């Protein structure tokens, strides 16, 4: 008896492979791959080189899929540094394999989207990290769910069991050739330093279809928790369980651990998994945000990474004009500001704007910031095209000036205010 038989649909989707290899679907898949760009796979053929003879390539892919002769190439393994300093493995498929993965995803993703729960925000259409963060904030601030479990799955993408994953896909799809195609991608292997490595488990991060497969895999955890009435939010393998009572979140953690170990053959990273209460001083770090009981702000590591990027782009020993440096800096300011525009502490971003402007002035003057760099007016920097976090995040000037004034109060006036009006400060309406 199949372990997940009670979740299998009575009427499954079949005869899907012809939709995968249809030319319209392949052309649409190619447009997605071209838009995402990306580096070359193990065959060293870039997206630009592949495009030179795209019609021939697409017809070759279609013929191989139709004749059941398609065989994906091994992925090229590369490493990127994580925030912790450790290295994360990525698998880069060839452009040809990315097109087939995208074509397959376009066909099967709508089938599974109908079953995914609202608590799942990762890699889904019309859902984002900000949606997940706002949902967690709503639970904490509005529904008093201040007891949380911050779960971390140990090496999730490296430990996905292929047979369990195919069983979960088979709940909705009965087309044997589609299932075979997914298996071929899972077992295509890895090329590292010119050596082929066989792969018996895991789904490579970097593949087009990997996010969908990871959602299918962890959807089993979602539905088991949902059936028990547990409040949680999941973005990929970042899972938060919330409740009003510590006892309830501990029970939910034990249930989640049992589901992961017995059904999905995964383990929790016990060192990084924690149960605690969110207060005004201790918050939850989730997807780059630090969520407290009454405020939300970027994590310290996110802020430091942003400042490190600014420092690198404004380093003095580079032979570029100030206008060129500002053009390279603006996308960093715009991207960081747009992602963190939902925070409640606004004065920090005015301080960052002031710090960035000092860096630009220092670059122009080719000297340290404390040596008379204020001679360059801020308006001149704006004329050169410099963006500000204030403008990107649409922070009201009145709010900034109020916070600035508060930060300049003397200790004596602050003590007088506390005696008269309490620790909150200021007269209340």
């Amino acid at each position: 008896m199949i372990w997940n038989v009670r979740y299998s649909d009575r009427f499954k989707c079949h005869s899907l492979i012809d939709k995968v290899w249809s030319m319209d679907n392949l052309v649409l898949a190619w447009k997605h791959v071209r838009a995402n760009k990306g580096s070359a796979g193990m065959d060293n053929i870039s997206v630009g080189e592949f495009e030179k003879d795209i019609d021939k390539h697409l017809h070759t892919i279609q013929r191989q899929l139709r004749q059941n002769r398609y065989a994906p190439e091994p992925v090229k393994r590369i490493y990127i540094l994580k925030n912790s300093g450790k290295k994360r493995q990525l698998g880069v498929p060839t452009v040809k394999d990315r097109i087939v993965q995208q074509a397959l995803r376009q066909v099967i993703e709508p089938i599974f989207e109908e079953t995914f729960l609202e608590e799942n925000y990762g890699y889904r259409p019309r859902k984002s990290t900000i949606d997940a963060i706002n949902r967690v904030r709503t639970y904490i601030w509005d529904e008093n769910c201040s007891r949380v479990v911050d779960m971390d799955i140990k090496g999730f993408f490296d430990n996905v069991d292929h047979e369990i994953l195919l069983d979960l896909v088979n709940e909705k799809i009965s087309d044997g050739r589609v299932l075979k195609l997914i298996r071929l991608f899972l077992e295509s292997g890895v090329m590292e330093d010119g050596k082929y490595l066989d792969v018996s488990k895991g789904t490579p991060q970097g593949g087009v279809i990997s996010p969908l497969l990871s959602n299918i895999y962890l959807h089993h955890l979602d539905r088991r928790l949902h059936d028990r009435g547990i409040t949680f939010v999941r973005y990929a393998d970042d899972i938060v369980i919330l409740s009003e009572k510590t006892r309830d979140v501990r029970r939910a953690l034990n249930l989640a651990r049992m589901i992961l170990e017995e059904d999905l053959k995964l383990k929790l990273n016990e060192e990084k998994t924690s149960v605690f209460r969110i207060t005004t001083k201790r918050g939850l770090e989730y997807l780059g945000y630090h969520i407290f009981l009454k405020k939300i702000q970027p994590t310290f590591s996110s802020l430091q990474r942003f400042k490190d990027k600014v420092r690198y782009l404004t380093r003095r020993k580079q032979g570029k004009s100030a206008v060129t440096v500002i053009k390279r800096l603006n996308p960093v300011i715009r991207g960081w500001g747009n992602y963190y525009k939902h925070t409640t502490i606004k004065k920090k971003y005015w301080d960052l704007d002031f710090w960035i402007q000092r860096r630009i002035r220092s670059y122009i003057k080719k000297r340290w910031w404390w040596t008379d760099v204020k001679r360059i007016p801020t308006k001149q920097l704006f004329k050169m095209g410099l963006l500000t976090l204030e403008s990107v995040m649409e922070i009201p000037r009145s709010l900034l000036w109020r916070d600035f004034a508060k930060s300049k109060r003397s200790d004596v006036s602050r003590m007088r205010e506390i005696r008269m009006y309490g620790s909150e400060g200021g007269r209340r309406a």
Side-chain angles (χ1 to χ4, degrees), residues 124-181:
R124 296 184 61 189
R126 297 175 297 279
K127 286 183 179 289
S128 66
T129 54
I130 298 301
D131 294 328
I133 292 163
N134 286 335
R135 191 59 188 148
V136 172
R137 181 173 61 175
T138 300
Y139 281 135
I140 296 171
W141 291 5
D142 300 340
E143 301 184 21
N144 198 29
C145 295
S146 59
R147 278 70 172 180
V148 301
V149 177
D150 187 8
M151 290 176 54
D152 184 83
I153 301 176
K154 189 173 182 179
F156 168 67
F157 285 94
D158 298 329
N159 293 291
V160 170
D161 187 285
H162 293 173
E163 299 303 325
I164 294 176
L165 175 57
L166 290 170
D167 286 343
L168 293 169
V169 175
N170 189 233
E171 290 179 5
K172 293 288 182 182
I173 295 174
S174 62
D175 191 322
R177 293 182 64 177
V178 169
L179 296 173
K180 178 185 175 182
L181 189 58

Side-chain angles (χ1 to χ4, degrees), residues 171-387:
E171 290 179 5
K172 293 288 182 182
I173 295 174
S174 62
D175 191 322
R177 293 182 64 177
V178 169
L179 296 173
K180 178 185 175 182
L181 189 58
I182 294 175
R183 182 184 291 276
L184 287 174
F185 283 123
L186 293 173
E187 299 176 353
S188 61
V190 174
M191 289 294 292
E192 184 175 8
D193 297 329
K195 297 181 180 179
Y196 174 79
L197 302 176
D198 196 14
V199 176
S200 60
K201 62 179 180 179
T203 175
Q205 288 180 269
V208 176
I209 202 171
S210 294
L212 174 60
L213 296 180
S214 67
N215 269 335
I216 294 172
Y217 202 82
L218 288 178
H219 174 65
H220 180 70
L221 173 65
D222 295 347
R223 62 191 177 192
R224 291 287 303 274
L225 295 178
H226 183 79
D227 290 345
R228 294 292 189 92
I230 294 172
T231 300
F232 70 97
V233 174
R234 180 174 69 81
Y235 188 94
D237 58 337
D238 292 321
I239 308 168
V240 177
I241 298 175
L242 308 99
S243 180
E244 298 181 13
K245 300 179 180 179
T246 303
R247 177 183 59 188
D248 293 341
V249 293
R250 291 190 182 277
R251 288 177 178 174
L253 174 60
N254 292 332
L255 175 63
R257 182 185 289 110
M258 181 192 70
I259 297 169
L260 290 171
E261 293 180 356
E262 295 182 3
D263 293 352
L264 301 178
K265 309 302 180 187
L266 297 171
K267 292 184 178 181
L268 287 177
N269 188 333
E270 300 295 345
E271 295 180 357
K272 295 183 178 180
T273 299
S274 57
V275 180
F276 60 95
R277 179 184 178 184
I278 295 179
T279 64
T280 55
K281 296 183 178 180
R282 183 176 184 182
L284 169 69
E285 293 191 6
Y286 191 59
L287 302 177
Y289 274 86
H290 208 161
I291 307 173
F292 295 88
L293 198 58
K294 294 183 179 180
K295 64 181 180 181
I296 179 172
Q297 64 188 44
T299 61
F300 177 77
S301 59
S302 300
L303 182 60
Q304 290 303 116
R305 288 196 300 273
F306 172 70
K307 296 183 76 172
D308 288 343
K309 288 181 180 178
V310 174
R311 288 189 184 99
Y312 177 76
L313 292 174
T314 58
R315 65 193 187 278
R316 294 170 184 84
K317 294 183 179 180
Q318 55 176 323
K320 297 180 176 64
S321 67
V323 174
T324 301
V325 171
I326 289 174
K327 285 182 178 179
R328 297 179 62 191
L329 183 62
N330 280 342
V332 176
I333 297 174
R334 185 183 296 108
W336 198 85
N338 281 328
Y339 187 77
Y340 289 105
K341 69 193 310 180
H342 303 276
T343 59
T344 56
I345 301 177
K346 305 298 184 182
K347 177 186 172 297
K348 181 178 294 185
Y349 307 116
W350 197 27
D351 295 338
L352 281 174
D353 280 335
F354 187 64
W355 174 75
I356 292 171
Q357 291 162 17
R358 287 191 316 198
R359 295 282 307 181
I360 297 295
R361 291 189 180 100
S362 300
Y363 181 81
I364 295 173
K365 289 288 189 177
K366 300 294 185 183
R367 61 181 71 174
W368 299 109
W369 63 267
W370 57 76
T371 58
D372 191 26
V373 296
K374 293 185 178 179
R375 295 178 182 176
I376 303 175
T378 305
K379 289 184 178 180
Q380 182 177 338
L381 299 181
F382 293 160
K383 289 180 180 179
M384 297 169 70
L386 180 65
L387 283 178

